[in-house]
């Protein structure tokens, strides 16, 4: 290689997109995973028209340009194999960025043999902004000798404009930014060169991690610089694909850090159930490093060497452990939630929520379970059915509210009216519970026994024609397990 390629990344986590009321209208599709996937699919089908149309302008960032979907630079390949998940209604966010044109990076410090200095901006559907600046140096003895000092000069120059760069993204994404406080990343540098040049560079007191696969070597210095070593001059497309996995790794690193911080705050305190559900779905469907190199979802990174390098990078840099810690915090949040909210979240029923539900249920299964007769279990299942039925049709999920009447609440007459049909649909004898049994005052024996086991709540009503309201005790861990 006759050149040394320098790429400077600044990452701006944009998780607030999932819930902020200040999100710009033309970016609202990014708030929810299924809507994101459907919108990208629509653009994919009309990509020729989108190249010309002013209607598909997605965002504008000062000093860059309009950001638009790019089906170039391998974008077509990053989306083509993903499409089957769109038709399965999975909330997976593909790795096709919204990208600006490449423009001249003005005012860069004067260093010897500078050939090109450019910049561009990206917003990824996985909700991170990326400011990308590039310099290509001709490889000379002087450039190699002065490389470390030149790199420090360029990093200082990048750092001077960091806050401005962050505000460009925030102003392009949100209408008002006064209440939005986002911590951007350090400048991450990717240096592409050959083995001999790397050996000639002088490094002192740096922790270096080595990842190697298929003739491509990654050397990570102090988690801030990544040297990509090619034995031979690589094709341009290979360089872009390797840069993609490095960018993805650091994107997830900073997004997981941001998500973990947000979960430690009172983020969900005054938030509607729909928003809480969307945020948690985003965390588990987009921030899990395993899905990008998984055998079950193998096409998010289209090339095998990309998946293997990414997998090795995540393992070496402990990113999987970071996500596991985040996942434990999510599980804890779910277990602390009212069953009403957790049930709404798990009603999404996709491959990610199903997997998390299994993990939560395994945790709940460690709790001792009450002994139930067949009739007690049938009556309890009927209450669970009514609870879920009302949950699906409840208009209050948009808000953070305290319900006056418990969800799934029934009267004795309501139970007598509905339970026979419920039994018949499920193949049980309709006389499993007789009218006389259900009419017994104050409540049927089977309900009374469930009440004593803390599974059913009996609420006496002082006014009106109804004496009692009957509902699940959705704070009981066994009931929570049934609901989930």
């Amino acid at each position: 290689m006759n050149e040394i390629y320098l790429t400077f990344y600044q990452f701006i986590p944009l998780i607030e997109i999932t819930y902020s009321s200040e999100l710009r209208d033309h970016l609202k599709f990014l708030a929810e995973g299924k809507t994101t996937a459907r919108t990208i699919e629509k653009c994919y089908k009309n990509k020729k028209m989108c190249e010309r149309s002013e209607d598909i302008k997605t965002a504008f960032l000062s000093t860059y340009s309009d950001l638009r979907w790019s089906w170039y630079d391998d974008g077509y390949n990053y989306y083509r194999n993903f499409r089957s998940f769109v038709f399965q209604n999975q909330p997976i966010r593909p790795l096709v960025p919204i990208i600006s044109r490449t423009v001249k990076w003005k005012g860069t410090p004067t260093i010897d043999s500078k050939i090109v200095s450019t910049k561009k901006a990206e917003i990824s559907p996985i909700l991170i902004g990326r400011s990308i600046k590039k310099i290509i140096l001709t490889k000379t003895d002087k450039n190699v000798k002065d490389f470390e000092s030149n790199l420090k000069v360029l990093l200082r120059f990048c750092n001077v404009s960091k806050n401005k760069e962050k505000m460009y993204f925030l102003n392009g994404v949100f209408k008002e930014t006064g209440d939005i406080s986002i911590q951007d990343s350090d400048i991450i540098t990717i240096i592409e060169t050959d083995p001999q040049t790397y050996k000639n560079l002088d490094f002192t007191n740096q922790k270096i991690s080595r990842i190697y696969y298929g003739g491509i070597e990654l050397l990570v210095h102090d988690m801030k610089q990544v040297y990509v070593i090619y034995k031979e001059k690589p094709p341009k497309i290979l360089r872009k694909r390797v840069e993609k996995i490095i960018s993805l790794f650091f994107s997830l690193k900073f997004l997981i850090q941001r998500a973990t911080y947000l979960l430690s705050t009172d983020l969900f305190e005054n938030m509607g159930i729909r928003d809480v559900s969307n945020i948690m779905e985003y965390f588990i469907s987009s921030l899990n490093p395993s899905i990008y190199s998984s055998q079950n979802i193998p096409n998010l990174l289209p090339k095998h060497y990309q998946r293997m390098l990414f997998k090795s990078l995540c393992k070496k840099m402990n990113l999987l452990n970071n996500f596991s810690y985040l996942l434990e915090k999510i599980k804890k949040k779910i277990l602390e939630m009212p069953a009403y909210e957790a049930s709404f979240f798990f009603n999404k029923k996709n491959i990610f929520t199903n997997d998390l539900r299994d993990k939560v249920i395994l945790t709940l299964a460690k709790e001792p379970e009450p002994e139930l007769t067949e009739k007690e279990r049938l009556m309890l299942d009927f209450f669970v059915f009514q609870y879920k039925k009302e949950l699906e049709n409840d208009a209050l999920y948009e808000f953070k509210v305290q319900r006056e009447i418990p969800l799934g609440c029934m009267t004795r007459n309501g139970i007598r009216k509905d339970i026979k049909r419920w039994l018949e649909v499920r193949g049980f004898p309709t006389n499993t519970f007789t009218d006389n049994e259900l009419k017994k005052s104050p409540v049927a024996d089977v309900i009374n026994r469930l009440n004593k086991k803390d599974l059913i709540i009996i609420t006496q009503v002082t006014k009106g024609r109804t004496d009692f309201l009957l509902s699940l005790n959705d704070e009981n861990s066994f009931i929570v397990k049934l609901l989930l």
Side-chain angles (χ1 to χ4, degrees):
M1 295 175 65
N2 295 321
E3 299 87 14
I4 301 174
Y5 299 90
L6 302 176
T7 306
F8 301 93
Y9 270 94
Q10 180 183 354
F11 296 90
I12 300 97
L14 298 170
I15 293 175
E16 281 73 3
I17 283 174
T18 57
Y19 61 87
S20 174
S21 59
E22 298 298 335
L23 183 62
R24 293 191 180 277
D25 292 341
H26 49 272
L27 291 175
K28 284 186 176 177
F29 69 91
L30 287 170
E32 196 267 333
K34 289 182 182 178
T35 307
T36 302
R38 292 191 196 107
T39 303
I40 300 175
E41 170 64 14
K42 183 178 178 181
C43 181
Y44 175 85
K45 287 181 176 177
N46 299 289
K47 50 187 177 293
K48 288 295 182 184
M49 180 186 73
C50 288
E51 291 171 15
R52 303 185 300 271
S53 173
E54 288 297 314
D55 297 332
I56 53 82
K57 189 187 303 180
T58 305
F60 176 81
L61 298 188
S62 299
T63 78
Y64 289 98
S65 65
D66 295 336
L67 273 66
R68 300 169 182 259
W69 295 110
S70 174
W71 301 110
Y72 305 101
D73 291 338
D74 223 17
Y76 174 81
N77 290 321
Y78 284 106
Y79 187 68
R80 180 184 57 188
N81 296 332
F82 159 87
R83 295 181 70 203
S84 62
F85 296 108
V86 179
F87 304 124
Q88 297 170 24
N89 283 324
Q90 299 297 329
I92 301 174
R93 296 166 180 263
L95 300 176
V96 183
I98 313 169
I99 193 169
S100 74
R101 293 190 300 273
T102 299
V103 296
K104 184 173 177 57
W105 181 16
K106 296 179 180 178
T108 51
T110 301
I111 56 178
D112 289 344
S113 303
K114 182 171 65 179
I115 302 176
V116 177
S117 100
T118 59
K119 68 175 185 176
K120 63 180 178 180
E122 293 181 353
I123 296 177
S124 169
I126 64 172
L127 303 188
I128 196 160
R130 296 186 278 238
S131 169
I132 308 166
K133 300 178 175 68
K134 291 180 178 286
I135 285 183
I136 302 176
L137 296 177
T138 299
K139 189 173 65 177
T140 64
D141 291 342
K142 187 176 189 312
N143 277 339
V144 173
K145 180 181 178 181
D146 297 341
F147 180 78
E148 190 171 7
S149 59
N150 284 339
L151 182 58
K152 287 179 180 178
V153 169
L154 292 168
L155 285 170
R156 280 197 296 271
F157 184 74
C158 288
N159 282 321
V160 167
S161 60
K162 267 187 68 178
N163 194 55
K164 286 183 180 179
E165 295 281 351
K166 180 173 71 173
M167 294 311 301
Y168 294 155
F169 278 89
L170 296 188
N171 290 329
V173 171
F174 302 102
K175 300 172 189 174
E176 296 289 339
T177 61
D179 295 331
I180 297 173
S181 177
I182 289 175
Q183 182 66 45
D184 57 331
S185 75
D186 294 327
I187 300 298
I188 303 299
T189 313
I190 301 174
I191 303 107
E192 300 167 84
T193 187
D194 57 78
Q196 188 57 49
T197 302
Y198 179 79
K199 287 180 182 178
N200 292 335
L201 300 176
D202 183 29
F203 303 112
T204 56
N205 300 321
Q206 291 192 353
K207 182 180 178 181
I208 301 173
S209 299
R210 179 180 182 272
I211 296 96
Y212 184 86
Y213 185 84
I216 301 167
E217 188 173 18
L218 307 181
L219 294 144
V220 185
H221 289 231
D222 292 338
M223 287 298 287
K224 291 184 179 181
Q225 297 168 15
V226 183
Y227 287 81
V228 186
I229 311 301
Y230 298 106
K231 291 182 179 179
E232 299 178 359
K233 184 171 183 178
K236 186 177 181 180
I237 191 69
L238 175 64
R239 290 182 47 239
K240 286 188 173 182
R241 287 173 175 169
V242 172
E243 182 184 337
K244 185 81 168 183
I245 66 167
I246 299 171
S247 171
L248 174 61
F249 168 79
F250 282 101
S251 294
L252 294 177
K253 177 181 183 292
F254 294 115
L255 284 168
I256 290 170
Q257 284 180 359
R258 180 66 178 167
T260 304
Y261 165 76
L262 289 173
L263 279 180
S264 68
T265 68
D266 58 354
L267 174 65
F268 296 161
E269 191 64 30
N270 298 305
M271 195 175 288
I273 295 169
R274 179 189 286 276
D275 287 339
V276 171
S277 183
N278 283 346
I279 294 168
M280 291 200 302
E281 181 185 65
Y282 160 72
F283 286 166
I284 63 175
S285 66
S286 297
L287 304 190
N288 185 352
S290 298
I291 69 171
Y292 298 96
S293 55
S294 168
Q295 291 182 353
N296 299 321
I297 309 176
N299 297 323
L300 296 181
L301 287 166
K303 297 299 178 182
H304 180 70
Y305 67 82
Q306 285 181 301
R307 296 193 289 273
M308 293 302 98
L309 270 176
F310 179 75
K311 188 174 183 178
S312 299
L313 192 58
C314 291
K315 185 176 180 180
K316 192 81 171 181
M317 300 290 107
N318 294 320
L319 194 63
L320 293 173
N321 291 338
N322 293 348
F323 178 76
S324 295
Y325 177 72
L326 173 64
L327 189 62
E328 287 302 314
K329 291 182 75 72
I330 294 170
K331 282 170 56 181
K332 184 179 178 182
K333 285 284 185 185
I334 290 171
L335 290 168
E336 291 171 350
M337 282 179 174
Y340 170 67
E341 295 188 18
S343 297
F344 180 85
F345 170 62
F346 286 121
N347 270 355
K348 285 179 171 288
K349 292 184 176 67
N350 56 61
I351 56 179
F352 305 103
T353 55
N354 290 347
D355 182 59
L356 181 58
R357 182 183 61 219
D358 292 343
K359 290 181 170 65
V360 171
I361 289 175
L362 281 173
T363 301
L364 292 170
K366 296 175 184 177
E367 299 286 332
E369 295 189 359
E371 292 185 10
L372 299 173
T373 66
E374 184 177 352
K375 290 181 71 170
E376 287 170 351
R377 185 58 191 250
L378 277 175
M379 180 60 73
L380 200 59
D381 286 347
F382 173 66
F383 270 80
V384 169
F385 168 78
Q386 292 296 116
Y387 187 104
K388 289 185 173 181
K389 181 180 176 182
E390 190 171 334
L391 174 68
E392 291 173 359
N393 299 313
D394 192 359
L396 297 181
Y397 62 71
E398 295 285 358
F399 311 102
K400 190 78 173 180
V401 295
Q402 183 67 44
R403 294 179 57 87
E404 184 176 352
I405 299 175
L407 191 67
C409 202
M410 291 181 283
T411 64
R412 289 179 298 170
N413 286 338
I415 293 172
R416 291 205 330 269
K417 177 182 175 183
D418 295 334
I419 198 167
K420 290 186 184 298
R421 174 63 179 161
W422 181 83
L423 288 166
E424 183 181 7
V425 168
R426 282 151 187 79
F428 293 101
T430 57
N431 63 352
T432 301
F433 301 100
T434 66
D435 276 353
N436 287 337
E437 183 181 2
L438 295 175
K439 284 180 181 178
K440 185 172 179 180
S441 182
V443 294
D445 288 341
V446 65
I447 292 175
N448 192 45
R449 293 195 301 271
L450 291 170
N451 171 250
K452 289 179 178 178
K453 293 175 181 178
D454 202 31
L455 304 174
I456 295 290
I457 296 174
I458 302 173
T459 306
Q460 191 163 5
V461 180
T462 56
K463 293 182 180 180
R465 298 174 59 186
T466 300
D467 294 331
F468 296 97
L469 290 176
L470 309 170
S471 61
L472 286 174
N473 179 10
D474 61 5
E475 294 183 1
N476 181 288
S477 61
F478 179 67
I479 295 298
V480 172
K481 187 176 78 168
L482 294 181
L483 291 172
L484 300 188

